[in-house]
Amino acid sequence: MSEVPERRPPPVVMRSRLMLEVASHLVGQADWPDQQVQIHFRPQGGADWNLCFFASDAPNAVEAVLSGAADIAICNPGGVLAMAVRGAAPFKAPAPLRAIMVLPQFDQFGFGFTAASGITSLAQVRDDRYPLRVSLRGQRDHSVHLVADRVLQAYGYSLADIERWGGQVRYDEEFPNGPHRMGAMERGEIDAIFDEALNMWARRGLEIGMRFLPIDEPQLGELERVGLRRVAITPGEYPAVGQDVWTVDFSGWPVFTREDASDHMVEAFCAGLEARKERIPWYGSGPMRLDLMVSDTREAPMMIPLHPAAERFWRARGYIK
């Protein structure tokens, strides 16, 4: 009886899998600095690359998808995509974008001020022309900057105004809980931190007397009209805040594409995600809960409509009821 030859994938598949598996390992290593990736696809020996998946997080992902430099990308928070679809500044025209799913992560934007600054409202900075010393994220293309600029614009001033009033706008290359940010606040070197990722810094800030300032009406309404949802920082999460502090939502990592993206590509992406959901890390426990990622939840807000092919796929699979 002759032996049945072992079935192996074609060489091109083995080579591609090798590279993808090694890359998957490397981006999970804390000491590997290059953790953002692009994946390009083409037929074996093809002259041009046909598809690009971009593991981005910043607003520049919008232009990458609109220009065709990327076919599917990620952006955080979902409100940035809502602004793009509505054509709200800094986006110059309504962007034809659609979601495929939203990787969940609940978060809020925080305007944290020291008590020593004497500032009790965002409007007071403008009214007093206060020379604020504020720390922002060092990654200059991060959505933190777009959101902070848009909130201050709603109050009629800007970061450039703060500098003109004698203040200091610092761009610190670390997360808000780092020694040059929260540490600088503890040492009295800065008056404020504007950032997201509250779970990293809110508790420590509140322990040293920092207070989160709310976004007021009518500014909240104006921000909602351009696409940024309101959300509260609550005593249930951080007892020291004392009462709800209203701000803008920074939740969700939408995976998105163009409105005219091919159904075949979108369906293939959805099928691949479903097939590998047990291997993909997320902030929940157990395998990825795709039903939580396609139905507008607190952690995964659906800020723009689903691509029709994605909606059909998720509905057919029972993830959308």
Side-chain angles (χ1 to χ4, degrees):
M1 182 176 179
S2 60
E3 293 185 1
V4 177
E6 181 182 354
R7 297 188 64 182
R8 296 181 179 178
V12 63
V13 173
M14 289 193 291
R15 292 193 296 268
S16 297
R17 283 285 303 275
L18 184 151
M19 292 298 189
L20 289 170
E21 293 293 347
V22 172
S24 177
H25 171 78
L26 290 177
V27 298
Q29 304 304 302
D31 61 349
W32 184 260
D34 302 316
Q35 296 183 328
Q36 192 171 80
V37 299
Q38 287 187 340
I39 302 171
H40 295 267
F41 297 82
R42 70 179 182 186
Q44 170 74 353
D48 299 310
W49 297 99
N50 290 338
L51 293 176
C52 174
F53 296 168
F54 182 19
S56 50
D57 64 349
N60 59 19
V62 171
E63 178 55 34
V65 169
L66 291 176
S67 68
D71 297 280
I72 295 176
I74 304 174
C75 188
N76 170 243
V80 169
L81 293 186
M83 293 174 69
V85 166
R86 298 179 191 199
F91 303 102
K92 295 180 174 59
L97 303 174
R98 292 295 181 263
I100 296 175
M101 50 83 71
V102 182
L103 190 64
Q105 182 192 24
F106 177 69
D107 201 359
Q108 309 106 310
F109 196 99
F111 293 90
F113 284 73
T114 63
S117 70
I119 299 296
T120 58
S121 73
L122 291 173
Q124 185 185 347
V125 178
R126 174 201 63 208
D127 296 342
D128 294 353
R129 294 176 173 260
Y130 190 87
L132 190 71
R133 299 169 300 169
V134 58
S135 170
L136 287 100
R137 191 77 63 93
Q139 182 185 336
R140 296 299 292 269
D141 67 349
H142 198 281
S143 297
V144 158
H145 305 292
L146 185 155
V147 173
D149 288 342
R150 194 62 189 79
V151 172
L152 297 186
Q153 181 184 337
Y155 280 91
Y157 66 101
S158 66
L159 294 169
D161 288 326
I162 289 172
E163 291 181 312
R164 280 194 292 270
W165 301 332
Q168 179 189 20
V169 179
R170 298 171 27 156
Y171 296 92
D172 293 311
E173 298 290 343
E174 60 188 24
F175 288 113
N177 59 342
H180 300 292
R181 304 193 69 196
M182 182 55 62
M185 181 172 274
E186 293 187 61
R187 295 189 296 270
E189 297 169 3
I190 60 173
D191 307 302
I193 295 173
F194 298 170
D195 216 324
E196 46 104 26
L198 290 196
N199 64 321
M200 286 186 170
W201 60 287
R203 287 183 178 82
R204 180 57 186 159
L206 292 165
E207 286 173 0
I208 65 170
M210 182 194 75
R211 51 195 173 199
F212 285 109
L213 299 187
I215 302 173
D216 309 294
E217 298 288 2
Q219 285 82 12
L220 267 178
E222 176 183 338
L223 294 166
E224 285 189 308
R225 284 189 291 275
V226 301
L228 296 173
R229 284 187 182 178
R230 69 177 70 198
V231 70
I233 304 169
T234 70
E237 302 165 284
Y238 307 106
V241 301
Q243 60 184 1
D244 288 354
V245 176
W246 286 96
T247 185
V248 290
D249 193 17
F250 216 89
S251 300
W253 296 73
V255 178
F256 69 101
T257 188
R258 286 180 58 95
E259 184 178 37
D260 61 1
S262 76
D263 290 358
H264 174 70
M265 179 190 71
V266 173
E267 290 164 0
F269 187 95
C270 294
L273 179 61
E274 183 183 42
R276 296 302 181 101
K277 64 184 180 182
E278 295 190 4
R279 298 178 58 174
I280 300 172
W282 68 303
Y283 285 102
S285 58
M288 294 181 80
R289 287 276 309 277
L290 292 175
D291 58 312
L292 302 179
M293 305 182 192
V294 295
S295 51
D296 195 22
T297 58
R298 185 186 80 146
E299 292 79 8
M302 190 64 63
M303 301 295 291
I304 63 173
L306 283 166
H307 188 282
E311 183 171 4
R312 287 194 301 271
F313 184 96
W314 300 129
R315 197 175 295 281
R317 293 297 201 278
Y319 297 111
I320 299 177
K321 304 300 183 183

